[in-house]
Amino acid sequence: LEYFLAVARTGSLSSASKTLEVNHSTVARRLDKLEDQLNIKLFKRHNRGYQLTEHGLALEKEANKVEEQVNKIHRVFSTQQSELSGTLTISKPMNGGLDLSSMATEFIKKYPNINLNLKSSSKADLSLHQVDISIQITNKPNEDLIGTNLGKIPGYIFGEESYIDKIKDVDDLDWIVWVDDSGVLDMEERLIRLIDSPKIVIRTNSYSEIIDYMNSGAGVSLISGFGLPENHKLKAYRPDKYKFDNNIWILYHPDLRDNAKVKAFKEFFIEQFNSRMLEKNKLVI
């Protein structure tokens, strides 16, 4: 049923395999087996993907109920975990807007018995027990979750220093835009609101490639200083004039409010984030 729901929600074997972190052929075999066991067709298979049949829609409704019951069991036992040990799964934005490497290193030093499982995801679902904590850059968090707003992350126009120094007018900038495959975030839409008629030269779904292109002098991008690597050689363009803000939240499911690992990471992250954000902002100008 888990494999069936993944395909039903994503509409394709490849997307479902990424969600489940298995090979797409494994997903196909599981679907075939389920259809054989039930002796029905669950999907219409066509070039655009997998579409639920009438039987598939009926099964989806019942499978969602089963999934919720299973997740309740997960949360009950997670709530009872009072020891600072075991695995803690954390999701962060896919666009690399947050560099958690140094904080993660400090956390495992402080809590050596906790194993961190870090995921880059725009759609990690706390209600489905996919992650324990979700760190999100958003102005509209899910109201069903417990959240702490850490404040606003300022973003700037960054580019390679020599490239920035030779640009006199913002209209002359070449833009590198990050594309969110999930459709949750839209950097291009935000850019168009910020700059009139931007000249977009590169679009990519890889955050690391954006950094590479900027370092090579190909253009600029909208980036938070908090997401840049420690050894970056980039410079902000007119930070006194061009700036955009997003709220950053640390979110978790209400059933995990008393989970020791969740509480430990939340307190640690808030303290570390506040101090490091001050340091990052000082480096922008």
Side-chain angles (χ1 to χ4, degrees):
L1 292 179
E2 181 182 23
Y3 283 66
F4 163 76
L5 284 174
V7 177
R9 289 165 179 163
T10 63
S12 73
L13 292 181
S14 59
S15 297
S17 66
K18 291 178 182 178
T19 300
L20 297 166
E21 298 182 344
V22 297
N23 190 285
H24 75 278
S25 61
T26 302
V27 180
R29 287 196 300 271
R30 295 292 181 91
L31 281 187
D32 289 342
K33 184 176 181 181
L34 182 60
E35 288 183 329
D36 289 342
Q37 289 176 335
L38 298 176
N39 195 28
I40 56 175
K41 283 294 180 183
L42 298 171
F43 294 96
K44 297 175 183 177
R45 296 158 171 82
H46 48 73
N47 293 335
R48 291 172 295 173
Y50 279 55
Q51 181 181 357
L52 287 168
T53 63
E54 184 177 347
H55 291 305
L57 289 170
L59 179 61
E60 183 185 33
K61 182 178 179 179
E62 298 304 319
N64 282 326
K65 297 177 184 178
V66 175
E67 182 183 51
E68 179 57 28
Q69 292 301 314
V70 171
N71 289 328
K72 282 183 179 180
I73 295 173
H74 278 297
R75 292 196 292 267
V76 166
F77 285 98
S78 295
T79 302
Q80 295 175 354
Q81 293 176 1
S82 59
E83 296 183 0
L84 293 171
S85 61
T87 300
L88 181 66
T89 302
I90 301 168
S91 71
K92 69 183 188 70
M94 287 184 66
N95 67 339
L98 290 176
D99 181 3
L100 300 184
S101 56
S102 57
M103 281 193 287
T105 300
E106 292 300 318
F107 182 79
I108 59 178
K109 286 180 180 178
K110 185 174 182 179
Y111 299 100
N113 294 323
I114 296 179
N115 304 315
L116 289 182
N117 180 16
L118 297 173
K119 293 186 174 183
S120 294
S121 173
S122 294
K123 289 187 174 181
D125 197 329
L126 293 164
S127 65
L128 298 180
H129 202 70
Q130 294 174 342
V131 297
D132 301 307
I133 294 175
S134 182
I135 300 169
Q136 298 181 12
I137 298 177
T138 178
N139 294 324
K140 295 181 179 180
N142 189 325
E143 295 180 356
D144 295 330
L145 303 174
I146 294 178
T148 299
N149 186 350
L150 302 183
K152 294 184 180 297
I153 290 185
Y156 300 92
I157 301 172
F158 275 101
E160 191 269 331
E161 186 172 359
S162 63
Y163 176 90
I164 292 295
D165 289 341
K166 69 181 182 182
I167 299 296
K168 303 301 181 183
D169 190 280
V170 68
D171 292 331
D172 296 328
L173 291 171
D174 297 316
W175 288 92
I176 305 163
V177 172
W178 178 75
V179 179
D180 179 11
D181 291 334
S182 71
V184 174
L185 301 173
D186 193 334
M187 180 186 287
E188 188 165 337
E189 180 185 5
R190 186 64 180 270
L191 171 60
I192 292 173
R193 293 203 305 267
L194 187 68
I195 306 294
D196 291 333
S197 303
K199 179 185 176 184
I200 300 174
V201 295
I202 297 175
R203 293 177 176 86
T204 175
N205 62 357
S206 169
Y207 179 80
S208 61
E209 285 189 3
I210 286 183
I211 301 296
D212 292 338
Y213 291 137
M214 287 194 296
N215 280 325
S216 69
V220 300
S221 191
L222 296 178
I223 298 291
S224 165
F226 203 88
L228 294 175
E230 298 290 343
N231 60 346
H232 78 86
K233 303 296 183 182
L234 302 174
K235 181 179 180 179
Y237 176 81
R238 297 288 305 276
D240 57 321
K241 183 177 181 180
Y242 298 104
K243 177 184 176 184
F244 64 101
D245 294 327
N246 283 302
N247 287 301
I248 178 170
W249 291 79
I250 182 167
L251 303 165
Y252 53 95
H253 195 278
D255 288 348
L256 296 178
R257 71 175 74 243
D258 296 322
N259 183 281
K261 296 194 293 293
V262 170
K263 291 171 66 175
F265 184 85
K266 173 189 172 183
E267 294 171 1
F268 175 87
F269 183 82
I270 292 175
E271 178 184 355
Q272 291 287 314
F273 175 83
N274 289 333
S275 62
R276 295 180 190 231
M277 180 55 72
L278 290 175
E279 296 175 5
K280 291 283 186 179
N281 286 337
K282 290 177 182 178
L283 297 176
V284 171
I285 313 297

